[in-house]
């Protein structure tokens, strides 16, 4: 395997990790209006992802950085052509970060409601936009002979890209509901359990439709064969059905692992159907960007590979340790009492 091919699939791994980890973050944000019946409930939901959401976003930064270093032509063409969509993603990411940081700054229901709502909007918008943008790489966009994007933002919209965005939202919402059952206790866990069972059929059907459409688009737009897709799709469908079944049996750990597997397999299918191209040209198929004509020099790829082999295990160990430290389930968050009130509540002595 050539180094540029290795880095293409490493970028696939980074996107898979990002969607698995940030997927449940987005899912929790989407479900706040349904599961968060009180301010305490909303605090509990945000508390399930509070210690880890910013670490999860490192996977996105790493994926973007790896694309820039390993495939500078791909990075340049994609970020210039998808400028408006990616700018909207950036804005929503910033809004989401601010919502976490500012929500507790003022003890006001209106203030907290505004920033909770901002988190919800961002949690819906980001998966939708990522789904549209990434599927457009396979569906094809106008790219000229000079490898420059020649279209506009409306060229990103097709039946397949819209289906990809909606499927991403549905799958992440279900993924998030299963995650909440893992991280909470009591009434919140029960509500999340029942919601996960209601979300399951819609998420499974939409994801299966996306998988089938990805295989079809790979054959139609990228001249791919059926072998790769016919191996991955049954595994992804099996993971979805296992997650649905285990959620019903209250085996939250297995259900969550299965939704993680389904997300990884869906992203893998997208990249497999895209390979060896990284950006299909709808103007002329011969002008498509490939792993070879869009990559960096061999020396650059060698240096990047050495750094990745050394640093990746360290990052994985650190993030794994973070999840271990914050593994405890959360109950309903109780308000912190004033110390003076606590002194006033001292039990009276029996006379």
């Amino acid at each position: 395997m050539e180094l540029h091919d290795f880095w293409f699939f490493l970028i696939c791994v980074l996107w898979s990790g990002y969607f698995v980890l940030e997927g449940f973050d987005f899912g929790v944000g989407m479900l706040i209006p349904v599961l968060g019946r009180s301010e305490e409930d909303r605090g509990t939901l945000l508390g399930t992802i509070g210690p880890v959401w910013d670490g999860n976003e490192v996977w996105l930064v790493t994926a973007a950085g790896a694309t820039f270093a390993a495939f500078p032509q791909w990075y340049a063409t994609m970020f210039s052509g998808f400028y408006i969509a990616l700018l909207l993603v950036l804005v929503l990411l910033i809004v989401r970060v601010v919502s976490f940081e500012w929500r507790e700054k003022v003890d006001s229901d209106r203030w907290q409601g505004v920033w909770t709502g901002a988190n919800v909007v961002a949690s819906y918008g980001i998966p939708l936009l990522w789904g549209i943008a990434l599927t457009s790489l396979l569906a094809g966009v106008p790219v000229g002979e000079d490898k420059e994007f020649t279209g506009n933002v409306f060229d990103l919209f097709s039946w397949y890209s819209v289906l990809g965005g909606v499927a991403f939202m549905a799958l992440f919402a279900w993924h998030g509901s299963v995650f909440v059952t893992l991280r909470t206790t009591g009434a919140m866990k029960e509500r999340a359990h029942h919601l996960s069972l209601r979300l399951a059929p819609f998420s499974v059907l939409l994801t299966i439709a996306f998988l089938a459409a990805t295989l079809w688009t790979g054959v139609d737009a990228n001249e791919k064969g059926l072998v790769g897709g016919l191996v991955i799709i049954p595994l992804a469908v099996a993971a979805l059905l296992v997650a649905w079944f285990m959620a019903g049996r209250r085996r939250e750990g297995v259900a969550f692992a299965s939704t993680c597997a389904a997300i990884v397999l869906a992203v893998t299918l997208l990249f497999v159907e895209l390979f060896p191209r990284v950006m299909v040209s709808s103007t002329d198929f011969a002008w498509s960007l490939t792993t070879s004509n869009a990559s960096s020099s061999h020396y650059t790829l060698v240096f990047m590979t050495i750094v990745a082999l050394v640093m990746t295990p360290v990052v994985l160990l650190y993030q794994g340790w973070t999840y271990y430290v914050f593994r405890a389930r959360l109950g309903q968050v109780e308000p912190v009492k004033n110390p003076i009130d606590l002194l006033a509540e001292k039990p009276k002595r029996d006379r």
Side-chain angles (χ1 to χ4, degrees):
M1 177 184 289
E2 298 289 339
L3 275 180
H4 50 72
D5 296 336
F6 167 78
W7 273 95
F8 176 81
F9 286 106
L10 182 57
I11 290 171
C12 171
V13 171
L14 293 173
W15 277 108
S16 298
Y18 172 66
F19 285 137
V20 165
L21 298 176
E22 276 284 84
F24 65 73
D25 287 349
F26 296 140
V28 172
M30 289 185 228
L31 300 178
I32 287 177
V34 182
L35 296 176
R37 298 180 179 178
S38 65
E39 185 56 38
E40 289 76 16
D41 288 342
R42 291 186 283 273
T44 299
L45 288 168
L46 292 174
T48 63
I49 59 177
V52 297
W53 66 267
D54 49 352
N56 294 342
E57 289 192 345
V58 171
W59 288 76
L60 173 61
V61 176
T62 307
T67 304
F68 172 76
F71 300 100
Q73 186 62 61
W74 181 18
Y75 182 93
T77 304
M78 182 171 64
F79 273 72
S80 61
F82 297 9
Y83 180 79
I84 295 178
L86 297 179
L87 179 62
L88 286 174
V89 169
L90 179 60
V91 170
L92 291 174
L93 286 170
I94 292 172
V95 168
R96 186 165 170 268
V97 171
V98 172
S99 72
F100 280 110
E101 300 296 334
W102 285 14
R103 182 177 177 275
E104 303 298 332
K105 296 298 184 183
V106 178
D107 186 15
S108 165
D109 291 342
R110 177 176 295 182
W111 175 271
Q112 293 176 346
V114 167
W115 291 112
T116 300
N119 191 296
V120 172
V121 171
S123 296
Y124 275 98
I126 296 170
L128 176 66
L129 290 170
W130 277 134
I132 291 173
L134 292 179
T135 53
S136 295
L137 298 174
L138 176 61
V141 290
V143 176
E145 187 176 9
D146 56 357
K147 301 178 184 177
E148 295 291 335
F149 183 84
T150 59
N152 55 56
V153 68
F154 297 106
D155 291 308
L156 304 184
F157 291 90
S158 64
W159 68 269
Y160 171 58
S161 65
V162 173
L163 173 62
V166 174
F168 274 36
M169 285 196 302
L171 183 55
F172 291 171
W174 185 32
H175 187 47
S177 68
V178 177
F179 175 76
V180 174
T181 64
L182 265 181
R183 294 285 288 115
T184 59
T185 60
M188 178 62 73
K189 178 180 178 179
E190 288 301 312
R191 292 203 298 270
H193 169 71
H194 292 299
L195 180 60
S196 70
L197 296 182
R198 291 198 297 270
L199 290 174
F202 301 102
S203 301
V204 169
L205 290 175
L206 281 170
T207 305
I208 291 175
F210 168 71
L211 295 171
T214 299
L215 179 60
W216 169 265
T217 305
V219 173
D220 181 61
N222 201 27
E223 297 183 352
K224 296 289 291 185
L226 296 174
V227 177
L230 292 180
V231 172
I232 296 173
I233 289 178
L235 295 175
V237 173
L240 292 167
L241 296 178
V242 168
W244 189 356
F245 177 75
M246 289 301 176
R249 296 290 298 271
R250 293 183 178 272
R251 298 287 298 277
E252 293 91 0
V254 179
F256 181 72
S258 299
T259 57
C260 291
I263 292 172
V264 170
L265 289 167
V267 176
T268 300
L269 177 65
L270 178 61
F271 274 77
V272 167
E273 292 302 311
L274 185 60
F275 182 79
R277 275 153 285 279
V278 296
M279 201 167 182
V280 175
S281 172
S282 60
T283 306
D284 189 323
F285 187 68
W287 296 344
S288 300
L289 274 66
T290 67
T291 56
S292 57
N293 68 21
S295 68
S296 294
S297 66
H298 179 73
Y299 175 79
T300 301
L301 296 177
V302 169
F303 179 78
M304 289 173 58
T305 302
I306 295 172
V307 173
L309 291 175
V310 173
M311 296 304 300
T312 300
V314 176
V315 174
L316 292 176
L317 286 172
Y318 174 77
Q319 191 159 27
W321 176 80
T322 302
Y323 276 88
Y324 176 78
V325 169
F326 295 103
R327 67 189 182 280
R329 293 177 182 264
L330 301 181
Q332 187 174 15
V333 178
E334 296 184 1
V336 178
K337 295 184 178 181
N338 189 305
I340 298 177
D341 295 334
L342 292 174
L343 290 174
E345 294 177 2
K346 288 194 303 180
K348 298 179 180 179
R349 296 181 179 177
D350 294 334
R351 294 184 180 179

